[in-house]
Amino acid sequence: MRERVVVVGAGFGGLFATRALRRADVDITLINGTAYHLFQPLLYQVATGILSEGEIAPPIREVLKNQDNVDVRLGWVRDVDVNAKTVSVAGPGIDYTVGYDTLIVSAGASQSYFGNDAFAEHAPGLKSVDDALELRSRIFNAFELADLQTDEDKTDRWLTFVVVGAGATGVEMAGQIAELAHRTLPGQYKHIDPHRARIILVDAVGAVLNTFGDHLSTRALRQLHLLGVEVELDTKVVGVDATGIEVETPRGHQRIESMTKVWAAGVAAPPLARRLAEATGAGTDRAGRVLVEPDLTLPGHPEIFVVGDMMALDRLPGVAQVAIQGGRHAAGQIKRRLAGRETGQAFHYFDKGSMATVSRFSAVASIGRVRISGFLGWLMWLAVHLLYLVGFKNRLTAVLHWAVSFLGRGRSERVSTLQQGFARAAVREYGDPFTRERAGAGKAT
Amino acid sequence: MRERVVVVGAGFGGLFATRALRRADVDITLINGTAYHLFQPLLYQVATGILSEGEIAPPIREVLKNQDNVDVRLGWVRDVDVNAKTVSVAGPGIDYTVGYDTLIVSAGASQSYFGNDAFAEHAPGLKSVDDALELRSRIFNAFELADLQTDEDKTDRWLTFVVVGAGATGVEMAGQIAELAHRTLPGQYKHIDPHRARIILVDAVGAVLNTFGDHLSTRALRQLHLLGVEVELDTKVVGVDATGIEVETPRGHQRIESMTKVWAAGVAAPPLARRLAEATGAGTDRAGRVLVEPDLTLPGHPEIFVVGDMMALDRLPGVAQVAIQGGRHAAGQIKRRLAGRETGQAFHYFDKGSMATVSRFSAVASIGRVRISGFLGWLMWLAVHLLYLVGFKNRLTAVLHWAVSFLGRGRSERVSTLQQGFARAAVREYGDPFTRERAGAGKAT
């Protein structure tokens, strides 16, 4: 029987580990909770109506269709038995167990509310397709609802958008909401001027894009101001409810009235990380990530690799490149062992740099010691993302959608479903008049 | 004050009525439950992964952005006071009332289960974006789940698709599911061969595309057989549950084991139709549609027009052209009155023909006395739909998606959210491991 490699998660870590093993003499089982790989760095474009969800989420089976040694399985890994070497999986309506010789765990991370999980309902994060569609619905419908109000205070509340967290995702969201308000939507409403919208970006630290260094941070801040984004730094969020957000600023306590809040502030590892740590005696960091050995394995378990956002090592950031390179490292170790070579090599991360788009035609990029901002940075962003999308084929439509949004003013993908956002609450209350009569119909006068 | 025209619903009827009034000296309020117009005839392509929902649902404000005399408002019309001449509207979190001088009601129709509303949970219809995404999730995940089963009977059940109703929508859905099973998905699964999938199209009447006439009906039936679709005619559905469907066939009672059922069998007018009929003394037909006067107004209320799928007149079918022409007729009557000319003209429907795609490169079309089928019919289908999409701009991506699916084998838009389909049930049971730990996490062993 061939070596059995089980890969948990088809994000960047799991997918690139799997691809790196395509010519290896192993049987791979790749388990993921959805049938698609998700390109998380572009989720903000789905949330703001630029791209469709299909454009950033190719089916895993399509991506791997020429790789014969992989069995793609739908399901969520609930636990790992490190002694019996099995993972137990919950599929929709079917539970199953898969045995492994080597295990690569790359189950990602989720949004963290730092112990305030009640914030989640009022300030969704941006980690999944569901999150992006939820935010898309809230953002576009906020303008619709602002237009309906007769009370100016309520109108203002609907036209105030707060983004919590000024890392790449937060900066990109704030920038895109500002472009919506100032470029796409003006002229389309009878009772409001979308220019009135306030977009407020808050962060507990003293700089935007903190990890990019002073120079780019300053550039990004200036660009955000040009876009009309209000940036509140050294500002800690202490409360989030349906109609606003409470913050501690350097000037004291303050309440911001806002119906639409976006949470882009922190990450937490999934429950599986804690289980693995408990079973193997590995530690976890504050975010619940597993402290791995230098070769990305767990203590006493050279057959278990943890890669990507779930792992903690040398304070590496939770970015795609760390996951990709970690996945490839794990695959490389397996191939070395199969070739009879020594294993246990330490993982060395090669920092290819990081980038964030502040608005169309303007991005900041940090590559080694080089700092690029403005239009040149944006061209780099475009080149990198085009290359990525080309790798997954059939993504020509994404380029067209970019043309619509960057060269024109349009947003092609603005649909919200009744299951998302405010409409869901209305359906609960009134029933859905478009499908069939429910209890709510009786409420009409 | 200018004449106030209120239009209820931004489907084909309401949208074309509004556009026809673009140069009229009136103030139009257009009320719709979503911010987008929906091109329902292409919903089946969203459900089967060809198009994104944004491609068939342009924002109403975009479509009307050059029309100054219209105020677009989000909300669901709950009732009409025909004496006070007001409509009462429920928005999400805000109720409001709008007064009218003339009212055009075009609120569409929903799926009808002929009194068996319990079927809806197990056999979604295809009337809204939510429906299409729900079915997309069920169809694609059915193959994923078939691949996970260890019991052959269960595998078969997951690979059996039943479409109820052999009108245009049912034929198109069955054809597309067959193309998925036989062209797109083979070779992507380790444990199943998608070719094994059974696609069964049932209808209580004795012909597919019954309204297209014998010749095209026979052609379509032959094409469906070539695609591998099993067609069960003179077959009445008497039960639908989670794992199957009960039918009365000419050969007796039968149960079909199937996890994925699609309902494309009947339409019912929304509750608003009955309210209007009761308030004005108009009758309704069996489907709850309002029996209108020959000029599309209600008895004794020349200021209220009912158009589209909600109206019953001369047994006109519930198709886009009837709604479009009805909307234009209502607008025309308003313009005549404003010009001081006589009104009350009867509506005359000009039948431009009807068409249905059975599969790629094959459609049937009936135009006046001309009957076209096969590749020529498909070219006509393509031309008509391209023209439509061009009318709404920015829909070049739809053409690219068609190229991917018709010339290639791919389906670009296969994403399902956790809020849809089977995944939703799993989230309920286990919690969502990708966002945060919920009660369900304790269930893991």
Side-chain angles (χ1 to χ4, degrees):
Chain A
M1 201 159 100
R2 297 210 290 184
E3 158 118 3
R4 296 166 305 163
V5 178
V6 170
V7 179
V8 178
F12 287 109
L15 191 63
F16 279 79
T18 302
R19 289 174 85 165
L21 290 169
R22 65 190 175 283
R23 284 193 270 282
D25 190 28
V26 295
D27 285 323
I28 307 164
T29 304
L30 174 57
I31 303 166
N32 199 56
T34 65
Y36 50 87
H37 165 70
L38 179 62
F39 191 60
Q40 278 190 350
L42 286 174
L43 268 178
Y44 77 95
Q45 296 203 353
V46 174
T48 53
I50 298 172
L51 297 179
S52 76
E53 64 275 21
E55 286 165 335
I56 64 161
I60 301 163
R61 296 184 187 282
E62 286 281 332
V63 176
L64 298 173
K65 69 179 169 190
N66 296 320
Q67 182 166 346
D68 288 335
N69 65 351
V70 60
D71 185 7
V72 180
R73 319 220 84 192
L74 188 67
W76 301 337
V77 170
R78 309 303 305 173
D79 210 354
V80 177
D81 186 331
V82 299
N83 300 312
K85 294 192 178 179
T86 57
V87 299
S88 53
V89 190
I94 183 169
D95 292 356
Y96 59 97
T97 299
V98 185
Y100 64 83
D101 299 309
T102 303
L103 178 66
I104 301 175
V105 184
S106 176
S110 66
Q111 210 76 63
S112 166
Y113 290 85
F114 308 120
N116 299 297
D117 282 359
F119 292 1
E121 182 186 348
H122 306 296
L126 195 55
K127 285 288 181 187
S128 68
V129 166
D130 283 73
D131 287 340
L133 295 181
E134 177 75 33
L135 283 172
R136 180 198 283 178
S137 169
R138 292 192 186 207
I139 292 165
F140 284 102
N141 283 334
F143 291 94
E144 298 295 326
L145 284 157
D147 197 54
L148 288 179
Q149 306 303 318
T150 46
D151 173 335
E152 282 297 299
D153 285 348
K154 287 189 177 169
T155 309
D156 287 341
R157 195 191 270 167
W158 279 113
L159 287 177
T160 303
F161 300 84
V162 179
V163 178
V164 181
T169 300
V171 166
E172 285 165 333
M173 278 301 292
Q176 284 305 323
I177 297 172
E179 295 225 326
L180 271 181
H182 301 145
R183 289 186 71 241
T184 302
L185 299 179
Q188 298 191 8
Y189 296 84
K190 281 278 176 193
H191 309 281
I192 57 162
D193 178 357
H195 280 113
R196 259 174 74 185
R198 291 177 68 196
I199 297 97
I200 305 168
L201 179 63
V202 306
D203 203 307
V205 302
V208 302
L209 299 178
N210 199 30
T211 58
F212 284 62
D214 283 350
H215 175 71
L216 291 183
S217 184
T218 309
R219 288 297 189 96
L221 185 63
R222 193 187 310 158
Q223 190 62 36
L224 285 165
H225 283 151
L226 284 175
L227 279 170
V229 175
E230 302 169 39
V231 182
E232 298 287 349
L233 299 170
D234 297 312
T235 295
K236 196 164 174 290
V237 174
V238 293
V240 183
D241 54 51
T243 59
I245 192 161
E246 309 272 337
V247 290
E248 297 289 353
T249 77
R251 303 173 304 281
H253 186 90
Q254 202 193 324
R255 180 178 173 82
I256 304 169
E257 294 287 318
S258 162
M259 294 302 283
T260 314
K261 287 82 66 178
V262 181
W263 193 269
V267 294
L272 185 60
R274 206 188 55 233
R275 289 173 183 282
L276 276 172
E278 282 166 2
T280 62
T284 53
D285 72 359
R286 249 181 31 175
R289 288 178 294 210
V290 187
L291 293 162
V292 294
E293 302 289 300
D295 65 346
L296 307 185
T297 63
L298 296 186
H301 288 276
E303 77 283 7
I304 305 181
F305 295 88
V306 178
V307 304
D309 288 0
M310 266 182 78
M311 87 175 183
L313 179 71
D314 301 339
R315 308 180 67 85
L316 286 171
V319 297
Q321 276 299 323
V322 170
I324 290 171
Q325 294 177 33
R328 284 179 173 154
H329 177 83
Q333 293 290 301
I334 294 169
K335 288 192 281 188
R336 285 180 72 92
R337 184 168 45 70
L338 292 175
R341 296 165 69 196
E342 185 198 10
T343 58
Q345 269 82 10
F347 170 58
H348 293 293
Y349 175 56
F350 174 65
D351 188 357
K352 293 190 175 176
S354 40
M355 47 176 63
T357 40
V358 185
S359 66
R360 64 180 194 128
F361 304 152
S362 174
V364 296
S366 152
I367 298 124
R369 294 182 179 196
V370 184
R371 304 273 177 271
I372 302 169
S373 62
F375 188 61
L376 195 62
W378 187 81
L379 285 179
M380 281 197 48
W381 173 89
L382 191 65
V384 167
H385 287 79
L386 280 178
L387 271 178
Y388 166 80
L389 292 174
V390 168
F392 287 113
K393 294 189 313 179
N394 291 348
R395 295 285 106 80
L396 192 53
T397 58
V399 176
L400 280 170
H401 280 149
W402 283 342
V404 166
S405 294
F406 297 146
L407 304 178
R409 294 159 182 274
R411 302 282 168 128
S412 307
E413 296 285 342
R414 284 161 58 169
V415 171
S416 60
T417 72
L418 293 179
Q419 292 184 9
Q420 260 97 19
F422 311 115
R424 189 181 46 213
V427 169
R428 261 202 305 260
E429 192 172 348
Y430 301 109
D432 174 2
F434 297 100
T435 55
R436 59 205 74 82
E437 194 159 8
R438 294 200 188 129
K443 292 192 63 156
T445 48
Chain B
M1 199 160 100
R2 297 210 291 185
E3 156 117 4
R4 297 166 304 164
V5 178
V6 170
V7 180
V8 178
F12 287 109
L15 190 64
F16 279 80
T18 301
R19 290 175 82 165
L21 290 170
R22 67 188 173 281
R23 283 193 266 284
D25 189 29
V26 295
D27 285 322
I28 306 165
T29 303
L30 174 57
I31 304 166
N32 198 56
T34 65
Y36 49 87
H37 164 71
L38 179 61
F39 191 59
Q40 278 192 349
L42 286 175
L43 268 178
Y44 78 95
Q45 296 202 355
V46 174
T48 53
I50 297 172
L51 298 179
S52 77
E53 64 277 20
E55 286 166 335
I56 65 163
I60 300 164
R61 295 183 188 283
E62 284 283 333
V63 175
L64 298 174
K65 68 179 167 189
N66 296 322
Q67 183 166 344
D68 288 334
N69 64 352
V70 60
D71 185 7
V72 179
R73 319 221 82 191
L74 187 67
W76 300 335
V77 171
R78 309 301 308 170
D79 209 354
V80 177
D81 185 330
V82 298
N83 300 314
K85 293 191 179 178
T86 57
V87 299
S88 54
V89 189
I94 183 168
D95 291 357
Y96 58 97
T97 300
V98 185
Y100 63 81
D101 299 309
T102 302
L103 178 66
I104 301 175
V105 185
S106 176
S110 65
Q111 210 75 63
S112 167
Y113 291 84
F114 307 121
N116 299 295
D117 283 359
F119 293 1
E121 183 186 349
H122 307 295
L126 196 54
K127 286 287 179 188
S128 69
V129 166
D130 282 73
D131 288 341
L133 295 180
E134 176 75 33
L135 284 171
R136 181 198 280 179
S137 170
R138 292 192 186 208
I139 292 165
F140 284 102
N141 282 334
F143 290 94
E144 298 295 326
L145 283 158
D147 196 55
L148 288 178
Q149 306 303 317
T150 47
D151 173 335
E152 281 297 297
D153 285 347
K154 287 189 177 168
T155 309
D156 287 340
R157 198 191 268 167
W158 279 112
L159 287 177
T160 302
F161 300 83
V162 179
V163 179
V164 181
T169 300
V171 165
E172 285 166 334
M173 278 300 293
Q176 284 305 322
I177 299 172
E179 294 224 329
L180 271 182
H182 301 145
R183 289 187 70 239
T184 302
L185 300 179
Q188 298 191 6
Y189 296 84
K190 280 277 180 197
H191 309 281
I192 57 160
D193 177 358
H195 279 112
R196 257 174 73 185
R198 290 177 67 195
I199 298 97
I200 306 168
L201 178 64
V202 305
D203 203 306
V205 303
V208 301
L209 298 178
N210 198 31
T211 58
F212 283 62
D214 283 352
H215 177 71
L216 291 182
S217 183
T218 309
R219 287 299 187 98
L221 185 64
R222 194 187 307 159
Q223 191 61 33
L224 285 165
H225 283 150
L226 284 174
L227 279 170
V229 175
E230 302 170 37
V231 182
E232 298 286 347
L233 298 170
D234 297 312
T235 295
K236 194 165 175 288
V237 174
V238 292
V240 183
D241 55 51
T243 59
I245 194 162
E246 309 271 337
V247 290
E248 298 287 352
T249 76
R251 302 173 306 281
H253 186 90
Q254 202 193 324
R255 179 176 173 83
I256 304 169
E257 293 287 320
S258 160
M259 295 301 283
T260 313
K261 286 82 67 179
V262 181
W263 194 269
V267 294
L272 185 60
R274 206 189 52 235
R275 289 174 183 283
L276 277 173
E278 282 167 3
T280 62
T284 53
D285 73 358
R286 247 179 37 173
R289 290 178 294 211
V290 186
L291 292 162
V292 294
E293 302 290 299
D295 66 347
L296 307 185
T297 64
L298 296 186
H301 288 276
E303 77 283 7
I304 306 181
F305 294 86
V306 178
V307 303
D309 288 1
M310 267 181 79
M311 89 178 184
L313 178 71
D314 302 340
R315 308 180 67 82
L316 286 172
V319 297
Q321 275 301 323
V322 170
I324 290 171
Q325 294 178 32
R328 286 181 172 152
H329 177 82
Q333 293 290 301
I334 294 169
K335 289 192 282 188
R336 283 181 72 94
R337 182 166 46 69
L338 290 175
R341 296 166 66 196
E342 181 198 16
T343 58
Q345 270 81 9
F347 170 60
H348 292 293
Y349 174 57
F350 174 65
D351 188 357
K352 292 189 177 178
S354 41
M355 45 178 65
T357 40
V358 184
S359 65
R360 67 182 189 127
F361 305 152
S362 175
V364 295
S366 151
I367 297 125
R369 295 182 177 198
V370 184
R371 303 276 176 272
I372 302 168
S373 62
F375 188 62
L376 196 62
W378 187 80
L379 285 180
M380 281 199 47
W381 173 89
L382 191 66
V384 166
H385 287 79
L386 279 179
L387 271 179
Y388 165 80
L389 291 174
V390 168
F392 288 112
K393 294 191 312 176
N394 291 347
R395 296 285 107 80
L396 192 54
T397 58
V399 176
L400 279 170
H401 281 148
W402 282 343
V404 166
S405 294
F406 297 145
L407 303 178
R409 293 159 183 274
R411 301 284 167 127
S412 306
E413 297 285 341
R414 283 159 60 167
V415 172
S416 58
T417 72
L418 293 179
Q419 291 182 9
Q420 261 97 19
F422 310 115
R424 188 180 46 212
V427 169
R428 261 202 304 260
E429 191 169 351
Y430 301 108
D432 175 359
F434 297 101
T435 54
R436 60 205 71 85
E437 192 159 8
R438 291 196 191 133
K443 293 193 63 158
T445 50

